[in-house]
Amino acid sequence: LQPEFRTYAKQVVDNAKALSEELMRGGLRLLSGGTDNHLMLVDVTAVGSTGKIAEKSLEACGVTVNMNMIPYDKRKPMDPSGIRIGTPALTTRGMGVSQMKDIGEWIVAALKDPDDDQKLESIRGQVSDLCSQFPVPAAAITV
């Protein structure tokens, strides 16, 4: 009920829209053609990946997503065609639209080249640098 929450909620959605646009620009298909909330369901088969490979390669980059089945998925639940991505945690850390564009570029690069360990490690370094600029709120509290 506080005005700050309304501002936060708007930023969560703005971040999700920016991230979804960057993913689509990179050739990924979003099941809803974009997003109007905090989540997006991404079909990764357009870049020759699977949900399991995508989750693993992004984990190697320090990016957390969940593999997820998509409507009419022909793949099995333990290796589906999609991933689910949300923006609340990033927004809580203070990230904005600019950071979502960078993250989107990194996701696309990792998904297009999941076997390039050197590229994944480079992305991991960039993710680490970004995260150091936006610490987890509880981590900033000293006792």
Side-chain angles (χ1 to χ4, degrees):
L1 297 174
Q2 300 300 314
E4 296 83 12
F5 183 77
R6 184 172 296 230
T7 302
Y8 167 76
K10 181 181 181 321
Q11 188 63 57
V12 167
V13 174
D14 289 348
N15 284 350
K17 286 181 180 183
L19 181 55
S20 69
E21 288 168 7
E22 197 60 42
L23 296 175
M24 290 186 294
R25 189 177 356 269
L28 294 168
R29 183 173 79 93
L30 271 68
L31 273 290
S32 58
T35 188
D36 58 1
N37 62 36
H38 65 292
L39 286 173
M40 59 208 82
L41 184 56
V42 183
D43 179 353
V44 296
T45 61
V47 293
S49 193
T50 69
K52 188 174 192 172
I53 292 169
E55 182 182 69
K56 184 178 177 189
S57 63
L58 290 170
E59 182 179 320
C61 296
V63 175
T64 303
V65 300
N66 298 99
M67 62 180 167
N68 209 95
M69 292 188 76
I70 61 174
Y72 310 106
D73 204 334
K74 294 181 181 178
R75 300 190 58 82
K76 301 206 183 282
M78 293 310 294
D79 190 13
S81 297
I83 56 174
R84 186 181 74 234
I85 305 173
T87 57
L90 301 174
T91 306
T92 299
R93 292 176 80 150
M95 294 184 199
V97 168
S98 174
Q99 290 78 32
M100 295 307 113
K101 291 180 180 181
D102 291 339
I103 292 166
E105 287 178 13
W106 298 331
I107 289 172
V108 169
L111 295 183
K112 287 185 174 180
D113 229 346
D115 296 322
D116 186 338
D117 293 336
Q118 191 172 2
K119 181 180 277 185
L120 299 182
E121 187 60 34
S122 172
I123 293 169
R124 184 177 187 83
Q126 294 172 23
V127 168
S128 180
D129 288 345
L130 178 65
C131 289
S132 70
Q133 297 170 43
F134 297 92
V136 175
I141 298 172
T142 57
V143 184

